[in-house]
């Protein structure tokens, strides 16, 4: 106070003199007084007056406030007082109460505005009420109506707000309640909208700084409910209500809100009801709920349910929002009773939605909030968190199903499917009602219908064993009898899958009907109407499923009884395929269907008993009930007509445009034809089949124009490789094939001989040579001519050689051959004798073909053929030797073949070639001028003549020479004669010379007529001569070499020589039967001691020139018994090593041992 006093003393003061106050006195005219007030107003407002100046001024002007004075004077006086108070407020003190009394007592309505200004100045707009705090509250409440008429309500409300804010303690509950009631009443008036925000500020201040009474809650709440509907004041209203709910009156507020909703008096006030619903929901379960409230949801839900019955859509919409918010946020915590109220509210909301469909006003979000609540409940139900009544909920879902998404329909379907049990007497009727609602309803979507089918499938699986007839007759057949007329492709596809599974397990009496339904769906894609519409690929999925289903049933029923079900499936499949080709179905799905059907039908097989089997995973399983048509069938068996498949195959070959299908059919056709038991009933189709395949070969470019989707990696050779195997099998059907078909068949093979599939064609011609003799005999020369144009490759080696081997086995094919044609055969074979390029088997097979064709040729052709063969063999052998010598390979000197056999290594090409040449030339020497047996014929008498005799064997080039003498001496024979034995006179002097060559044996039996050592002997014995018959040792002896050449002749007499006593360089003379002389000299050349008979040697190049003369001489002089044996030319590599002794090797030229002597 001291500080303020000092400050006051420091301020300048204005002093009024008596003359100034005299100007304001009552004796002064009014006009002058008013003028003086105007002049002093600024002074008193801006300057401090001297002490007691305020009182002096008031005493001078107080009479001016009298009612008798003009309004202008009164109002000017009030304005002067306002200025005075504003300027001197801090020094008024108790004068405030005096001036407040002036305001309170001055009841002139015209001066209300000046009074308000005076009050604002006196209280600093309601902030300071010292000295008047006890009396200002009632005055403010009383003065409200008067101020309202002045149009200064906003200013007055602002003063009240400050009054409440700063001086709420001086406001009694009665004053506060009066203010609330009056403000709420004013807020309802339309003209008060501009001041609504100030009203809310006052209410907010009352809530925050004063204590409301229960009596003021209703108007307070109703005002907030109304202002809530104004977007501008919505947020502020909620904030005030939230504060009110947070006070001690919160529970009373909730009760008041519920009572407002339940009171029928307020039914006509939708804004009030809407606000109340909003406040209840937001305060108890909203995002900014009041945590101090402890009300249960069940305590307010009945009120919300009552509000939902309102006729005002805006109220129902607000209820739906609050309910959806409650369900979404606290649905897991709701009890059974609370759920009943929630579902009841939702039911009422849905009824309002239904009623509002035709009205002009319907909140669009009402349905959204309703669906939001339903979706939340469905989520709780699916996770077992729904504590309410499922029956009530799904009854609601069923009503609003038209407004619900797919998930609701599926949830309802699943719930209703749980009640489909066979324990009820009328359960089939319930199943039909279920299907009628979820399957047959026109408005049902595809997913719901598919789910209904799934439920039906499970129902059938669970009850089929006990109630199959009931289900089939009352449910399945009525439901799917007209499945073909269903417009939903996806539903048809799923229904077909159900029927396929059912057909595999149901009893036989129902299976045909199911197969018929499936067949109808399968044939949809081949109907003329469907093709005319040119439907896309998606519309073929049901037919695809049906066709695959028929295949499954066919495979399953193939091994079950009765067999007529298999035949029904088979007929349906065959009919479908035939219709596809008749209607030219070219879609991708149709191609997939044909591919699957052919993959099954072309894998059918028949066993020896005539039962049909199916090839799957490289294994064949045969049925015990289904037989091929034509076989006898029992009670439970039926016949399958495979001719239908062959008809379809023919249609495929003629009309198919898809490469995948065509390649599958052609590739499988050869395996089908090989199963003769399967195709024996289709022999009348073989001509057409042959014509179709031959056309594909001869006109490949033309028919390929119509084939699509051929992979870029497929070449022409791949096409031929598919066709020719089937043609090869057709060759084995000569009887059903006409002459024209046979000719086309052979012509197709002949056409392909010079193509990329030559090996297949040659093999086919080999089969034709065995099956089609007459035709092949005419075309064989032309075929050989084309084969001569084939390049000799390892791939072609075996087919060509086998073909020639097969042809030579049928003499009727080459009976009319001339020499030139035989030469063409050898020219074809010669390239395959090259052991450097081909395997041992191929080389041996080539020499076999040369041999067999040579001995089958006419004798008068053989001489020129032998020259041709020898020329080629000599050139080939010389080239082989030169090639190996150039590579620096070493050669064994003695018995290379034997050495290689012992060591186990493979023969060198030259060694193999040399052995084959040796055998071949030996054959030529034996068979050029005659065809004789290769095996000798011995009589028992010869064995007795030689019984007990001595035998020795020598190696002569590639021959084994064995000389066997008769047993016993002449003295012993004379003793035998004396004894009277029949052979006593004949055993003496007999000998046999057996020559074993690769191509046969030759045996000479001879007898010595001369006396040994007689005077007429032509033999000159050496000093060491002995009787040859006396030698009994088999030890190795020196080689006897030739010393002179001689023509081909037989040795008639030999000197008596002791072979064991022979020495080197011993010489003795010999003579022949025609008295020609020659000498023999002993020479030690090798550790091995063969005896080489004196024979003229001819080189290989000169063999053919001297061949005829030497052979003629041999034939004219040969008088002994002779027989020959020809070893089989087609032998393995090991056999060729054993049976064909090797020639000696030389170095660059033929040695003596390699010179070939043609016997």
């Amino acid at each position: 106070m001291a500080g303020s006093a000092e400050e006051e003393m420091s301020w300048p003061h204005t002093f009024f003199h008596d003359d100034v106050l005299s100007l304001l006195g009552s004796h002064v005219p009014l006009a002058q007084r008013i003028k003086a007030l105007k002049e002093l107003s600024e002074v008193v407002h801006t300057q401090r007056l001297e002490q007691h100046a305020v009182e002096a001024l008031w005493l001078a002007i107080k009479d001016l406030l009298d009612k008798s004075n003009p309004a202008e004077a009164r109002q000017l006086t009030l304005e002067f007082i306002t200025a005075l108070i504003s300027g001197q407020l801090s020094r008024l003190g108790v004068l405030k109460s005096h001036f407040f009394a002036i305001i309170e007592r001055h009841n002139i309505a015209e001066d209300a505005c000046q009074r308000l200004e005076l009050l604002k100045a006196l209280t600093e707009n309601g902030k300071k009420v010292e000295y008047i705090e006890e009396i200002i509250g009632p005055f403010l409440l009383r003065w409200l109506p008067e101020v309202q008429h002045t149009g200064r309500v906003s200013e007055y409300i602002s003063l009240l707000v400050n009054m409440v804010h700063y001086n709420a303690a001086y406001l009694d509950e009665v004053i506060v309640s009066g203010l609330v009631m009056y403000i709420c009443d004013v807020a309802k008036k339309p003209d008060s909208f501009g001041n609504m925000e100030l009203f809310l500020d006052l209410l907010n201040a009352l809530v925050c700084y004063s204590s409301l009474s229960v009596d003021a809650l209703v108007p307070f709440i109703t005002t907030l409910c109304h202002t809530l509907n104004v977007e501008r004041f919505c947020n502020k209203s909620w904030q005030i209500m939230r504060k009110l709910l947070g006070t001690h009156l919160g529970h009373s507020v909730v009760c008041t809100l519920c009572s407002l909703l339940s009171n029928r008096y307020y039914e006509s006030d939708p804004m009030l009801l809407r606000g109340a619903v909003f406040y209840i929901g937001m305060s108890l379960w909203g995002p900014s709920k009041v945590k101090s409230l402890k009300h249960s949801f069940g305590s307010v839900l009945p009120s919300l349910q009552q509000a939902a019955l309102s006729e005002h859509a805006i109220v129902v919409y607000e209820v739906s929002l609050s309910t959806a918010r409650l369900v979404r946020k606290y649905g897991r915590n709701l009890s059974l009773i609370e759920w009943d109220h929630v579902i009841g509210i939702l039911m009422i909301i849905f009824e309002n939605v239904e009623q509002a469909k035709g009205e002009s006003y319907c909140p669009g979000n009402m349905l959204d909030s309703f669906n939001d609540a339903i979706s939340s409940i469905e989520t709780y139900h699916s996770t077992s968190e729904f504590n309410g009544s499922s029956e009530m909920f799904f009854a609601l879902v069923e009503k609003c199903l038209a407004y619900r998404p797919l998930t609701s329909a599926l949830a309802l379907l699943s719930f209703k499917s749980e009640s489909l049990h066979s324990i009820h007497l009328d359960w089939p009727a319930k199943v039909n009602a279920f299907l009628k609602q979820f399957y047959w309803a026109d408005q049902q979507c595809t997913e719901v219908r598919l789910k209904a089918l799934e439920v039906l499938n499970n129902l059938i699986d669970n009850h089929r064993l006990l109630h199959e007839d009931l289900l089939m007759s009352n449910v399945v057949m009525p439901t799917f009898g007209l499945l073909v007329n269903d417009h939903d492709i996806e539903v048809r596809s799923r229904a077909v899958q159900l029927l396929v599974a059912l057909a595999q397990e149901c009893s036989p009496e129902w299976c045909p009907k199911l197969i018929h339904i499936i067949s109808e769906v399968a044939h949809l894609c081949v109907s003329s109407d469907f093709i005319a519409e040119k439907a896309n690929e998606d519309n073929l999925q049901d037919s695809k499923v049906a066709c695959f289903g028929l295949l499954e049933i066919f495979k399953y029923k193939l091994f079950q009884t009765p067999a007529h079900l298999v035949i029904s499936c088979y007929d349906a499949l065959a009919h479908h395929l035939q219709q596809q080709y008749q209607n030219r179905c070219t879609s991708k799905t149709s191609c997939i269907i044909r591919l699957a059907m052919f993959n099954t039908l072309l894998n059918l097989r028949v066993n020896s008993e005539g039962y049909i089997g199916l090839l799957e995973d490289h294994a064949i399983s045969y049925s015990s009930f289904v037989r091929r048509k034509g076989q006898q069938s029992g009670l439970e068996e039926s016949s399958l007509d495979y001719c239908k498949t062959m008809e379809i195959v023919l249609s495929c070959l003629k009309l198919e445009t898809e490469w995948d299908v065509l390649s599958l059919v052609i590739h499988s056709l050869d395996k089908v034809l090989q199963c003769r038991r399967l195709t024996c009933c289709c022999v009348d189709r073989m001509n057409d089949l042959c014509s179709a395949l031959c056309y594909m070969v001869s006109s490949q470019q033309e028919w390929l124009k119509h084939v699509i989707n051929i992979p870029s990696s497929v070449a022409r050779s791949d096409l031929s490789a598919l066709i020719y195997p089937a043609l090869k099998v057709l060759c084995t059907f000569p009887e059903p094939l006409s002459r024209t078909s046979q000719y086309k068949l052979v012509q197709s093979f002949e056409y392909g001989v010079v193509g990329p599939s030559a090996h297949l064609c040659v093999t086919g011609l080999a089969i034709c040579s065995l099956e089609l003799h007459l035709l092949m005999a005419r075309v064989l020369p032309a075929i050989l001519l084309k084969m001569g144009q084939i390049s000799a490759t390892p791939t072609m080696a075996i087919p060509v050689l086998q073909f020639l081997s097969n042809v030579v086995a049928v003499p009727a094919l080459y009976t009319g051959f001339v020499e030139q044609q035989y030469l063409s055969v050898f020219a074809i074979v010669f390239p395959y004798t090259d052991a450097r390029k081909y395997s041992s088997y191929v080389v041996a097979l080539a020499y076999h073909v040369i041999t067999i064709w040579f001995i089958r040729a006419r004798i008068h052709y053989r001489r020129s053929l032998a020259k041709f063969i020898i020329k080629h063999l000599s050139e080939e052998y010389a080239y082989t030797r030169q090639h190996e010598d150039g590579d620096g390979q070493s050669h064994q000197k003695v018995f290379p073949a034997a050495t290689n056999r012992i060591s186990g290594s493979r023969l060198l090409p030259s060694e193999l070639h040399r052995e084959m040449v040796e055998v071949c030339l030996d054959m030529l020497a034996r068979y050029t001028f005659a065809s004789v047996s290769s095996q000798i014929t011995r009589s028992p008498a010869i064995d007795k003549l030689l019984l007990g005799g001595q035998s020795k064997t020598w190696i002569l080039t590639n021959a084994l020479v064995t000389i066997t003498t008769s047993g016993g001496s002449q003295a012993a024979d004379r003793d035998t004669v004396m004894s009277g034995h029949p052979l006593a006179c004949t055993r003496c002097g007999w000998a046999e010379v057996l020559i074993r060559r690769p191509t046969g044996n030759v045996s000479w039996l001879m007898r010595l007529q001369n006396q040994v050592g007689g005077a007429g002997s032509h033999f000159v014995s050496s000093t060491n001569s002995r009787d040859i018959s006396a030698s009994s040792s088999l030890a190795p002896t020196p080689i006897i070499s030739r010393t002179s050449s001689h023509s081909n002749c037989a040795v008639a007499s030999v000197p008596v020589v002791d072979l064991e006593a022979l020495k080197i360089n011993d010489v003795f003379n010999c003579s022949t039967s025609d008295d020609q002389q020659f000498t023999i000299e002993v020479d030690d050349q090798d550790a091995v001691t063969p005896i080489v008979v004196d024979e003229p040697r001819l080189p290989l190049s000169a063999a053919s020139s001297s061949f005829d003369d030497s052979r003629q001489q041999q034939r004219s002089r040969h008088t002994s018994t002779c027989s020959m044996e020809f070893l089989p030319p087609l032998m393995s590599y090991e056999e060729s090593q054993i049976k064909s002794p090797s020639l000696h090797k030389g170095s660059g030229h033929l040695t003596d041992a390699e010179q070939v002597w043609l016997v």
Side-chain angles (χ1 to χ4, degrees), residues 747-778:
Q747 191 179 31
S748 298
F749 285 128
E750 184 182 356
Y751 173 79
V753 165
V754 293
S757 302
H759 61 290
L760 298 174
C761 296
V762 172
T763 305
L765 289 173
I767 300 175
C768 291
S769 65
L770 300 177
E771 299 289 345
L772 310 174
H773 299 166
L774 297 178
L775 180 60
M776 285 296 294
R778 297 199 306 268

Side-chain angles (χ1 to χ4, degrees), residues 221-240:
I221 293 173
T222 55
T223 300
L224 292 180
C225 289
H226 284 97
T227 58
L228 181 71
N229 293 275
V230 181
E231 183 179 1
R232 178 181 173 185
F233 311 122
C234 177
N235 188 46
K236 181 173 285 190
S237 300
W238 162 239
Q239 295 299 327
I240 296 172

Side-chain angles (χ1 to χ4, degrees), residues 24 90 148 292 334 454 531 546 691 695 713 821 990 1015 1056:
L24 299 174
S90 60
Q148 183 179 1
S292 61
L334 296 179
E454 182 180 349
I531 296 174
S691 299
Y695 172 77
S713 58
Q821 292 165 345
W990 288 93
V1056 180

Side-chain angles (χ1 to χ4, degrees), residues 160-208:
L160 290 176
V161 170
N162 290 332
M163 182 65 190
V164 176
H165 189 275
Y166 294 99
N167 302 285
Y170 304 117
L171 299 177
D172 297 336
E173 287 187 0
V174 176
I175 303 301
V176 172
S177 297
L179 290 174
V180 169
M181 292 179 181
Y182 192 84
I183 292 299
C184 292
D185 185 63
V186 172
K188 294 179 182 178
K189 298 179 180 180
D191 57 350
S192 63
F193 183 80
N195 298 320
M196 187 64 67
E197 189 169 357
L198 291 173
F199 295 157
L200 292 177
D201 290 339
L202 178 58
L203 294 178
N204 182 51
L206 290 173
V207 171
C208 295

Side-chain angles (χ1 to χ4, degrees), residues 575-640:
H575 175 72
H576 181 86
L577 279 175
Q578 198 64 45
Q579 288 297 314
Q580 280 208 17
Y581 286 115
Q582 288 181 3
N583 297 324
R584 303 297 178 90
C585 299
T586 58
S587 63
K588 184 177 180 180
T589 304
S590 300
C591 171
I592 296 175
I593 294 174
R594 295 195 299 272
L595 200 63
M597 288 187 175
F598 276 124
N599 194 35
T600 298
L601 297 180
L602 295 179
N603 281 326
L604 295 179
R605 300 292 183 267
V606 176
N607 60 10
S608 58
E609 298 179 359
Y611 288 103
I612 297 294
L614 182 63
L615 174 62
E616 285 186 316
D617 299 330
H618 307 287
I620 303 178
S621 301
Y622 289 98
S623 172
S624 300
F625 312 102
V626 183
R627 291 194 177 190
R628 176 187 55 80
K629 185 176 182 180
Q631 297 285 336
Q632 295 181 355
S633 58
L635 182 62
E636 293 294 337
E637 299 172 350
S638 187
S639 300
L640 186 146

Side-chain angles (χ1 to χ4, degrees), residues 946 949-952 962-966 990-994 1005:
L946 302 177
Q950 299 185 33
S951 177
K952 283 199 174 187
T962 301
I963 300 178
T964 305
T965 61
S966 58
W990 288 93
E992 181 191 34
V993 178
L994 175 62
L1005 184 63

